[in-house]
Amino acid sequence: MAKVERELILPSTKVSPINNDNPAVINIETSETLPVTKYDRNGCRKSASEVVSIARTAFNSCKTKNVAFRRQQLKNLLRMFDENAKALEDALKKDLGRPRQEASSFDVEFTKNDVITMLMHFEEWAKPEKPPKPLPNALDQICVYNDPYGVVLIISAWNFPITLLLGPLAGAIAGGNCVVIKPSEIAEATAQLIAELIPKYLDKECYQVYLGEVMETAELLKERFDYIFFTGSTTVGRIVHAAANKYLTPVTLELGGKSPAYIDKSVDMEMTVRRILWGKCSNAGQICIAPDYILCTKEVQDKFISIAAKVLKEWYGDDVESSPDYCRIISDKHYSRLNNFLADKKNIAIGGKSNAANRFIEPTILVNVNPNDSVMQEEIFGPILPIVIIENPHEAINFINAREKPLVIYVFTKSKTVKDMFANNTSSGNLSFNETLFHFTVDTLPFGGVGFSGMGSYHGKGSFDTFVHKKGTLERNFAAITEKCTAFRYPPYSESKTNRISIIMRPRRGISCKYLKPLLIFCLGVIVIIIIQLIYYHVTDKHLL
């Protein structure tokens, strides 16, 4: 869910054997001593193979298959949020300068609600499913078991380092898996806090936090997992996917891309500006589903810019940099990348200020943008919003379809015809009309990408389903009637047998075996009653004679 070329990289670290009971890691660049849970009591980092081996042994013990165990772990995870909400918010403030409201609503409370959803429903979801039976299986028992995959690896991005890590974790726990948890080291304070908290609340063998740099992460990806869930950039997603291919490990890749926002003149422009700017300015635009650029006519562009200037002043005052409600860019590298987009000052309609000292970049709107400009060649992942002029929705659709499939397309219009055009003629992970970001919060909607924006989806029951294998099961009895009904499958073959198989196997609309068993039992009961009555009348007649 992030544009992160370095999302697997931490500043260089080394082990510091301060004492055997409290091993630590020293950040070489800052000399700061950091507590960490991936080191054992001898001050030596557990290797990736050791971590995975511990998880594998725990899974093979079958304790995570126990529904009561899963429920307790989810309760413990919920308690972790309740008891450490402020510490989590403080870590997000340190990493991203995130205001408390955004930290609470986007990360802490949002993920907490994911856990509550799992607790409310996972036991029902975990039960074997009873699908409809086709006619040839009328006498069989068929069901679908929700089997845990086994040992799961979850690799998270830095922009929402709690939501994108612990949300999937809740689904993996509910599904009955053991999990190796890899936080993004770029959000360093949050990663360290999670590494401290998880062992205090969750089973230490089943759920392990693994911190590290590129070398350690590469070591981790060499191991055999049963499922990998990755959130990050398309570039790193390819690396993860390639590593998974070695063992044909199934993966979910939550990536990103350039998500467009189309606006036509039918909209309420005041509301439209607020909703788009909120989606772009939250977390300083470091959101994979933030509107990446706008497609609109020149007339709409002028109205948008006029209102945007007033809205931004209302939200952040005359000096955005001093506002307590505006985030900072995560790292110097990302700041430098974004600042390069502001080099051509003549394209800046609003904003454009920046400060390298605190990695501040002002909300900025760019005009006269050419599709070949550098800002249009990659996901922006920051508070910079280019506007590309188009003349009609057909041109907008062609523009979108000429590029990689985005994670979401935003369409702002009152026209049902235009909505249908985008729904039927574009492909994207999600599609949202007249609103930004909110589709991510709907746990009954699948969230995920397509093509370069990702594969697989999750949220709500989708999170549970992501981490379980649907194991189809058939059970046939040894009753003579069952064998008699299917005996025509055996050699010697004949034309009549082939015809019977063809007739029986043919799908039939409206024919279901759902009520066949109750109907057979009812009919059998009627037959038994009739037989009893006949016997009774027979005995009575003999007695009268």
Side-chain angles (χ1 to χ4, degrees):
M1 192 178 176
K3 174 62 184 175
V4 281
E5 300 297 338
R6 284 185 68 249
E7 65 191 56
L8 302 179
I9 300 176
L10 260 179
S12 299
T13 59
K14 65 180 181 181
V15 179
S16 172
I18 296 173
N19 61 60
N20 287 340
D21 293 322
N22 296 293
V25 170
I26 301 295
N27 184 318
I28 294 173
E29 295 184 4
T30 64
S31 298
E32 181 184 4
T33 301
L34 303 172
V36 63
T37 61
K38 76 169 186 179
Y39 292 83
D40 66 20
R41 291 176 62 84
N42 295 318
C44 299
R45 183 178 62 83
K46 289 191 179 93
S47 68
S49 60
E50 289 176 306
V51 170
V52 175
S53 177
I54 291 170
R56 183 76 59 193
T57 300
F59 180 75
N60 289 340
S61 73
C62 294
K63 64 180 176 181
T64 61
K65 293 185 177 181
N66 185 295
V67 171
F69 174 85
R70 302 183 212 178
R71 172 168 285 279
Q72 187 58 53
Q73 296 303 305
L74 289 170
K75 285 183 176 179
N76 292 347
L77 186 59
L78 185 61
R79 184 163 58 88
M80 186 189 85
F81 279 100
D82 289 336
E83 295 176 359
N84 299 278
K86 187 178 185 305
L88 291 165
E89 291 169 4
D90 289 345
L92 291 168
K93 180 72 172 179
K94 184 175 181 179
D95 286 329
L96 290 150
R98 187 171 291 171
R100 183 183 179 279
Q101 181 168 317
E102 288 188 15
S104 176
S105 57
F106 288 168
D107 261 298
V108 179
E109 287 299 320
F110 185 90
T111 313
K112 181 178 173 180
N113 289 339
D114 276 349
V115 180
I116 292 172
T117 297
M118 288 298 157
L119 278 167
M120 290 172 61
H121 301 294
F122 90 94
E123 290 186 49
E124 183 65 31
W125 296 339
K127 292 177 181 177
E129 302 165 18
K130 298 286 187 179
K133 288 191 288 188
L135 186 60
N137 303 104
L139 300 178
D140 299 328
Q141 299 297 322
I142 63 171
C143 69
V144 178
Y145 286 95
N146 292 293
D147 280 0
Y149 275 107
V151 178
V152 170
L153 171 62
I154 299 177
I155 303 176
S156 174
W158 52 261
N159 57 326
F160 290 96
I162 296 172
T163 296
L164 303 180
L165 183 70
L166 303 186
L169 174 63
I173 292 173
N177 301 276
C178 288
V179 187
V180 176
I181 304 159
K182 175 61 179 69
S184 170
E185 64 284 355
I186 290 181
E188 188 175 343
T190 308
Q192 295 293 342
L193 180 59
I194 288 173
E196 292 175 18
L197 293 178
I198 290 294
K200 294 180 181 178
Y201 290 88
L202 301 184
D203 187 284
K204 293 180 177 63
E205 295 176 341
C206 297
Y207 314 106
Q208 301 173 80
V209 180
Y210 186 92
L211 301 180
E213 309 171 40
V214 168
M215 186 179 298
E216 286 81 10
T217 306
E219 177 188 353
L220 196 61
L221 287 171
K222 291 177 183 177
E223 297 301 315
R224 184 167 189 168
F225 290 94
D226 300 302
Y227 201 94
I228 298 176
F229 190 105
F230 169 79
T231 305
S233 69
T234 301
T235 300
V236 182
R238 286 195 188 98
I239 297 171
V240 173
H241 193 270
N245 282 345
K246 180 179 179 181
Y247 296 110
L248 299 180
T249 302
V251 297
T252 292
L253 300 178
E254 294 293 342
L255 309 178
K258 295 184 74 63
S259 297
Y262 169 78
I263 312 172
D264 71 15
K265 63 181 181 180
S266 70
V267 301
D268 181 314
M269 191 58 71
E270 177 83 21
M271 288 186 189
T272 297
V273 170
R274 288 178 177 277
R275 293 172 184 180
I276 288 179
L277 288 182
W278 176 74
K280 190 62 172 177
C281 295
S282 295
N283 203 36
Q286 299 166 111
I287 307 176
C288 65
I289 53 173
D292 192 271
Y293 62 94
I294 289 175
L295 295 170
C296 65
T297 64
K298 179 69 166 59
E299 175 190 359
V300 170
Q301 172 190 272
D302 293 343
K303 291 180 181 178
F304 185 94
I305 291 172
S306 174
I307 297 173
K310 298 174 185 176
V311 170
L312 289 171
K313 184 175 181 179
E314 174 190 331
W315 289 355
Y316 303 117
D318 292 322
D319 182 13
V320 181
E321 188 173 358
S322 64
S323 171
D325 300 324
Y326 189 72
C327 289
R328 295 298 183 264
I329 305 305
I330 185 69
S331 69
D332 292 337
K333 177 183 176 180
H334 287 284
Y335 168 86
S336 178
R337 180 183 63 84
L338 290 168
N339 203 43
N340 287 338
F341 294 142
L342 305 179
D344 193 347
K345 302 299 183 184
K346 69 177 184 296
N347 288 351
I348 297 175
I350 292 177
K353 295 179 182 177
S354 60
N355 185 347
N358 61 4
R359 300 191 300 275
F360 164 77
I361 291 183
E362 188 178 18
T364 301
I365 298 177
L366 303 180
V367 295
N368 302 318
V369 175
N370 187 293
N372 296 320
D373 290 347
S374 61
V375 75
M376 294 300 294
Q377 303 311 305
E378 61 178 278
E379 183 179 3
I380 296 170
F381 219 72
I384 300 170
L385 186 60
I387 299 179
V388 177
I389 298 299
I390 47 87
E391 297 303 325
N392 53 61
H394 297 280
E395 188 178 342
I397 289 171
N398 290 336
F399 188 94
I400 294 168
N401 289 342
R403 289 153 179 79
E404 297 296 344
K405 296 177 181 179
L407 191 52
V408 59
I409 296 174
Y410 296 113
V411 180
F412 286 79
T413 181
K414 292 181 179 179
S415 168
K416 184 179 185 305
T417 300
V418 173
K419 292 176 187 177
D420 290 342
M421 286 173 62
F422 277 88
N424 297 324
N425 296 291
T426 62
S427 178
S428 56
N430 292 96
L431 177 64
S432 178
F433 295 109
N434 303 325
E435 185 56 275
T436 63
L437 307 190
F438 262 91
H439 66 283
F440 184 82
T441 69
V442 184
D443 64 10
T444 51
L445 286 177
F447 175 82
V450 58
F452 271 44
S453 59
M455 62 177 67
S457 61
Y458 71 120
H459 280 183
K461 187 174 185 295
S463 294
F464 175 85
D465 288 340
T466 289
F467 292 105
V468 296
H469 166 64
K470 301 288 185 177
K471 183 172 69 180
T473 307
L474 179 143
E475 178 184 347
R476 179 161 288 176
N477 60 43
F478 287 101
I481 187 173
T482 303
E483 185 67 9
K484 185 69 174 175
C485 288
T486 59
F488 52 79
R489 62 185 161 150
Y490 299 132
Y493 301 137
S494 67
E495 189 67 26
S496 63
K497 287 183 176 181
T498 301
N499 291 337
R500 289 169 67 188
I501 291 173
S502 177
I503 292 170
I504 290 175
M505 295 294 290
R506 188 172 300 140
R508 291 166 174 82
R509 187 185 299 276
I511 295 180
S512 171
C513 297
K514 180 178 180 181
Y515 302 107
L516 183 59
K517 185 176 179 179
L519 180 62
L520 289 174
I521 292 173
F522 173 78
C523 293
L524 183 61
V526 171
I527 292 171
V528 169
I529 291 173
I530 292 172
I531 291 173
I532 291 173
Q533 287 181 334
L534 289 173
I535 293 172
Y536 172 78
Y537 288 133
H538 178 70
V539 171
T540 303
D541 289 345
K542 284 186 66 176
H543 180 71
L544 291 174
L545 289 172

